Each structure stands twice: as structure tokens, then as C-alpha cells.
């Protein structure tokens, strides 16, 4: 049952110095989650993949998102589309996993769809009055591509994404994210609320404890800061320790002193598209929410194409994947403990340090969109 009460959220909206976290029930209540599905997830833009995951005509990749069975496909003309993969005869699933084909043929009664979603063949339908194959195309899902990432808007009514992210694209210009190629690192069934991970991803405060032996020596918590912006995103900059300068010099972000290099950057496009550019790769966390306390997390590392194709760099890449798994497994322990704490009945809300500014920014966006319209 929804317990939404606007008064519960005023403390999260205060200036950062006085702000609190969201109340615990924002992370545990099924009614809040249902409200998030309607007002955040279906009404905004969610990333379902990357263009480089379907590089050639005929390539496709299925994604399950909020109960929708989708397929990201590059049709034979080379155009990328997002379609429902539910057969329009009697609702069977057309394909699963990933693949390459010239069409989608339903395993139930062999209706055959072109890769642009139009129905090509439907056996034994000649006696059906008024049957028109043109009425039976697979539903197309509205999508936009930003820096190689493919986003969908399920309710079809969101403002176009590109203009909203134009300042973010400028900030991250030097990383050339659109040219990178994603390689899968790991998949984690995750038993905590999706916002617990977003909050964890967007602050480096916890480097001093959770990652004291891994990230803190490289990217000290105290040097981290969040760039000012007013778009639907946050950017956390984690400069490298002077003792561990980055090996690769990359784009310089505005808001850094001349002698600072970006080191590691963490970004979220609200509600939950998480990625972290560093000197030579971009970590990408794909969240697929399933319920209040559960989502699937797929982690990818995006590399330059030449790095990915060079057998001599395979070991380097595997090392990068292994590091990412170690870091995330440290975070899992923290996030699971937080979820247990949120459900305990002895936590209502807490105070945020200046190092947690991105959480405060996100909470303001979250409150505004979940509030009454
Ligand atoms: S359900 Fe697909 S052809 Fe019948
Ligand atoms: Fe972490």
C-alpha cells in the first residue's frame, strides 16, 4: 500500500547542509516502488543496451525491462530499432538471448516478422475475414541513442533525451564514449533496492572504509566532488591521488583546478543509468529493476575498439574486469547491510556529508517527479 506523504520528504529537499536522506520506507515500500515504475521508469529514459552490441545488420539482443520483453535489433537496412518480441498472433515469445538472423520466426505457429517488425508471413490465415498483415507489426518502442547507449521511453511521452544531456555530453566529450565497445564483466542478482546502489555509486565517501585497500589509495574520498549542474544527471569527480597519477591523460572536466586530472568519474543519468569513465575505459552498470528489493545488475567494461581487438591486450582487459568485480563485491556487502538496516525499524533517515552531494541532487529530482502532479 502506498504510504506517500509529501511531508515525509521536506527534510530531503532542504539545502545540502541541512538535508537528510530519503526516509527508510522510500527503499522498502511496495507502493513507492509502483509509483517509481509509473512516474520514473516508464515516464523517463532507461538504457537497454549499446549500439556496439548489435554492430551488424541482422544482429539482435533481447532485454527484459519492467515486464516488457524487448529486442534491440539492427535491421537488414542497418537501422537500429527496439521492438516488443511478443508475437501478435497469440502472444508467444519470438526469440530469447542474443542472435543474428534475417527475420524473427515465431516458434508457436511460424508467423515470420521482418527485422523492422513488419509481418512478412502468416501461414493458413487466408480464410480470416479482413486479415491484414499490416495490422500485425511488432510494437515499436520509442528510443534514442546517446553516446552509443540506447535508451527507451516506455510511455512514449518523455521530453527528448539528447537536449537534456547536451551539457553532460560536453563535460564528457574527451572520453569519446560513442566509439567504445562493451564487453561483459559479470551479472549480479541484487537483493536490495535500486536506489541503494545509485546512492553507493554516486559517492566516494565510502572509499575510506568499504574500499580502504582498493579505491581509497588511488582516489581518496576527501578529494572527490560533484560538479554543479541542473540537468537530470549528476557527475562525481574523483581525482587521482598525487601518489598514484593516472597512466592515461584524458579529457579535462570543467570545475577542476589546472593541475588536477579527472582520474575517475562516476555519472548517473536519472533514474539509474550508471557509468564511470576513467583513463582508458568506461565501466557501465546496467540496472534492471524487478521489485522493491530486487534488481538484476549487469556490469560491462567499455573499451576502445582497437584495445578490444588486440589479443595482446586480452590480459589487460581481464585485469580490468577482475578489478571491477572485486570493487563491486565490496559494494554488495555494504548495500546488503544497508537494505537490512532500512528494513529494521530502527532507522528513519540520516544526515548527508558534503561528499554526498550527488545523493542530495538525486533525491531532489526523485521527490519532484514522485510528487503529486
Ligand atoms: S503465437 Fe506466434 S505464430 Fe502463433
Ligand atoms: Fe563503492
Amino acid at each position: 500500500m502506498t504510504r506517500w506523504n509529501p511531508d515525509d520528504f521536506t527534510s530531503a529537499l532542504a539545502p545540502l547542509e541541512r538535508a537528510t536522506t530519503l526516509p527508510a520506507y522510500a527503499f522498502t515500500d511496495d507502493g513507492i516502488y509502483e509509483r517509481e515504475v509509473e512516474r520514473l521508469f516508464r515516464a523517463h529514459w532507461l538504457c537497454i543496451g549499446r549500439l556496439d552490441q548489435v554492430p551488424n545488420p541482422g544482429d539482435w539482443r533481447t532485454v527484459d525491462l519492467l515486464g516488457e520483453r524487448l529486442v534491440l535489433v539492427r535491421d537488414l537496412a542497418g537501422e537500429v530499432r527496439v521492438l516488443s518480441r511478443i508475437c501478435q498472433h497469440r502472444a508467444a515469445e519470438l526469440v530469447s538471448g542474443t542472435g543474428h538472423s534475417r527475420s524473427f520466426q515465431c516458434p508457436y505457429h511460424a508467423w515470420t516478422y521482418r527485422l523492422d517488425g513488419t509481418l512478412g508471413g502468416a501461414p493458413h490465415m487466408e480464410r480470416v475475414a479482413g486479415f491484414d498483415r499490416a495490422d500485425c507489426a511488432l510494437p515499436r518502442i520509442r528510443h534514442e541513442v546517446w553516446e552509443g547507449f540506447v535508451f527507451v521511453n516506455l510511455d512514449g511521452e518523455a521530453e527528448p533525451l539528447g537536449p537534456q544531456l547536451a551539457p553532460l555530453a560536453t563535460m564528457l566529450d574527451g572520453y569519446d564514449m560513442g566509439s567504445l565497445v562493451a564487453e561483459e564483466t559479470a551479472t549480479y542478482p541484487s537483493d536490495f533496492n535500486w536506489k541503494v546502489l545509485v546512492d553507493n555509486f554516486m559517492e566516494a565517501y565510502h572509499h575510506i572504509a568499504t574500499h580502504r585497500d582498493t579505491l581509497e589509495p588511488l582516489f581518496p574520498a576527501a578529494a572527490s566532488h560533484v560538479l554543479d549542474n541542473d540537468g537530470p544527471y549528476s557527475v562525481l569527480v574523483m581525482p587521482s591521488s598525487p601518489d598514484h597519477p593516472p597512466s592515461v591523460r584524458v579529457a579535462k572536466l570543467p570545475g577542476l583546478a589546472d593541475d588536477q586530472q579527472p582520474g575517475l568519474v562516476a555519472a548517473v543519468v536519472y533514474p539509474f543509468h550508471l557509468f564511470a569513465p576513467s583513463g582508458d575505459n568506461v565501466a557501465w552498470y546496467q540496472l534492471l529493476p524487478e521489485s522493491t528489493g530486487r534488481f538484476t545488475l549487469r556490469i560491462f567494461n567499455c573499451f576502445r575498439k582497437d584495445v578490444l581487438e588486440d589479443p595482446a591486450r586480452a590480459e589487460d582487459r581481464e585485469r580490468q574486469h577482475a578489478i571491477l568485480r572485486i570493487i563491486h563485491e565490496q559494494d554488495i556487502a555494504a548495500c546488503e547491510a544497508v537494505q537490512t538496516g532500512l528494513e529494521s525499524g530502527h532507522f528513519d533517515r540520516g544526515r548527508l556529508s558534503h561528499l554526498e552531494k550527488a545523493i542530495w541532487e538525486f533525491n531532489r529530482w526523485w521527490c519532484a517527479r514522485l510528487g503529486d502532479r
Side-chain angles (χ1 to χ4, degrees), residues 260-328:
Q260 279 181 317
Q261 289 293 329
L264 180 62
V265 174
V268 54
V269 173
Y270 305 154
F272 54 63
H273 176 53
L274 303 175
F275 61 99
S278 61
D280 44 16
N281 65 318
V282 174
W284 162 38
Y285 284 33
Q286 183 179 35
L287 278 74
L288 298 163
E290 290 161 26
S291 65
T292 311
R294 191 172 172 88
F295 60 94
T296 295
L297 174 67
R298 303 185 74 175
I299 298 183
F300 299 84
N301 245 315
C302 304
F303 298 101
R304 286 201 328 249
K305 199 159 185 275
D306 62 300
V307 170
L308 207 76
E309 287 171 351
D310 182 356
R313 304 291 299 272
E315 224 171 277
D316 279 358
R317 294 202 315 274
E318 188 37 52
R319 192 176 318 115
Q320 299 270 17
H321 289 305
I323 291 169
L324 208 43
R325 287 192 291 267
I326 289 167
I327 300 294
H328 184 62

Side-chain angles (χ1 to χ4, degrees), residues 197 199-204 206-207 210-211 214-215 285 327-328 330-332 334-335:
L197 182 66
D199 290 354
N200 171 272
F201 195 87
M202 289 308 298
E203 54 92 351
H206 72 285
H207 289 190
T210 305
H211 306 304
T214 50
L215 289 174
Y285 284 33
I327 300 294
H328 184 62
Q330 293 177 334
D331 283 323
I332 288 173
C335 290

Side-chain angles (χ1 to χ4, degrees), residues 125-132:
M125 296 295 286
E126 62 279 355
R127 297 185 199 172
V128 177
F131 181 71
D132 186 350

Side-chain angles (χ1 to χ4, degrees), residues 9 12-13 16 20-22 26-27 36 40-41 193-200 202-203 226 229 231-235 267-274 287 352 356-370:
F9 300 92
L13 299 173
L16 176 58
T20 72
T21 64
L22 297 175
F27 299 85
E36 290 177 332
L40 300 188
F41 303 164
N193 182 260
W194 65 278
K195 298 188 293 303
V196 172
L197 182 66
V198 173
D199 290 354
N200 171 272
M202 289 308 298
E203 54 92 351
V226 172
N229 81 79
Y233 50 85
S234 291
V235 183
V268 54
V269 173
Y270 305 154
F272 54 63
H273 176 53
L274 303 175
L287 278 74
L352 293 168
E356 295 163 295
K357 180 180 165 189
I359 296 176
W360 171 77
E361 288 180 344
F362 171 81
N363 290 346
R364 293 165 72 89
W365 183 88
W366 186 91
C367 290
R369 270 133 198 101
L370 244 65

